[in-house]
Amino acid sequence: MKIGIVGLGLIGGSLGLDLKAQGHEILGVSRQATTCQTALDKGVVDRASTDLSLLAAAEIVIICTPIGAIAPTLAKLVPHLQTETIVTDVGSVKQPIVEACTYLWSNFVGGHPMAGNTNQGIHAAQTKLFTGAAYVFTPTEKTPTALVEKLASLARSLDTITYICPPEVHDRAVAWISHLPVMVSASLIQSCLQESNSQVLQLAQKLASSGFCDTSRVGGGNPELGMMMAKYNRQALLRSLKQYRQNLDEIIIQIEQENWDNLEQVLEINQQARPKFLN
Ligand code: NAP
């Protein structure tokens, strides 16, 4: 199949590597000519250009730009597409993207592969990034089922586990397990930096080990991505953040009041619940 990818960064580049390895012809478009050349050199794409007209022959186009550029990219892409071309995206937020993109192109299906890391750009592209990961598709009531099935089957060929749900349900779910953790983890790093004693701060930086590595990873990632999660999933994220703040306040009260039994009970409930999020 001829597959177009727009935005050759971590996600677009990694999709290109795996789909090309399966024998698909990958047509890549990115903003910078140097990125296109690197994508060709790394074997991410078969052909590359900064011009969206390269995608005129594509059967499926996957838009992998930053969230804010997805709908504007589709608007520029539409004049070049064949009527039957299926377009999807990989944005971490779905409702505003699905609304804007379905209006622009009826053969659009929102998508979100739940894999990534703290790196960005074409040099971060890697093989098998999506192996074992969830891949969510968010059709509307009007989306033809055949389009969703074609994309889900392509996603499953990358050894992902596919899920289908409405865009707004996706956005509330990822607010809890992806967008809230980014903000919590970012606040953790920020709080540590506010230690006023330089000797303590320097020692803390030397002693930080696997626990800090785990808890700070998502807060120390791509700043543009974190900002766009907040901007485009504002309501669901605020709802999750406020609940989190309430729980943190309750923990503070337990500690202030030396209510150790209650605190231990809360920690026990969480210890039992955690595996349900880790499949
Ligand atoms: P990234 O590594 O920064 O890649 C995005 C690429 O898009 C850049 O390399 C850039 O290429 C290109 N680009 C930027 N603006 C563009 C524009 N206006 N038109 C065309 N290309 C443009 O970011 P990413 O992590 O791959 O994220 C891309 C998308 O994947 C986002 O929508 C994000 O929500 C989603 N996502 C990310 C993760 C994650 O963990 N990182 C996980 C799942 C989904 P040039 O070098 O050519 O400028």
Side-chain angles (χ1 to χ4, degrees), residues 6-12 29-32 35 64-67 69-70 73 76 90-93 112-117 119-122 222 224-225:
V6 191
L8 299 170
L10 168 68
I11 301 297
V29 173
S30 214
R31 200 173 38 172
Q32 304 186 70
T35 302
C64 304
T65 64
I67 296 169
I70 292 172
T73 297
K76 284 187 250 163
V90 296
S92 310
V93 175
H112 182 198
M114 302 293 302
N117 60 45
N119 301 321
Q120 64 190 102
I122 186 63
N222 180 346
E224 183 186 30
L225 178 57

Side-chain angles (χ1 to χ4, degrees), residues 88-89 109-112 135-139 148 151-152 155 162-166:
T88 184
D89 75 309
V109 186
H112 182 198
Y135 200 131
V136 193
F137 289 99
T138 59
V148 185
L151 289 172
T162 54
Y163 295 89
I164 293 170
C165 69

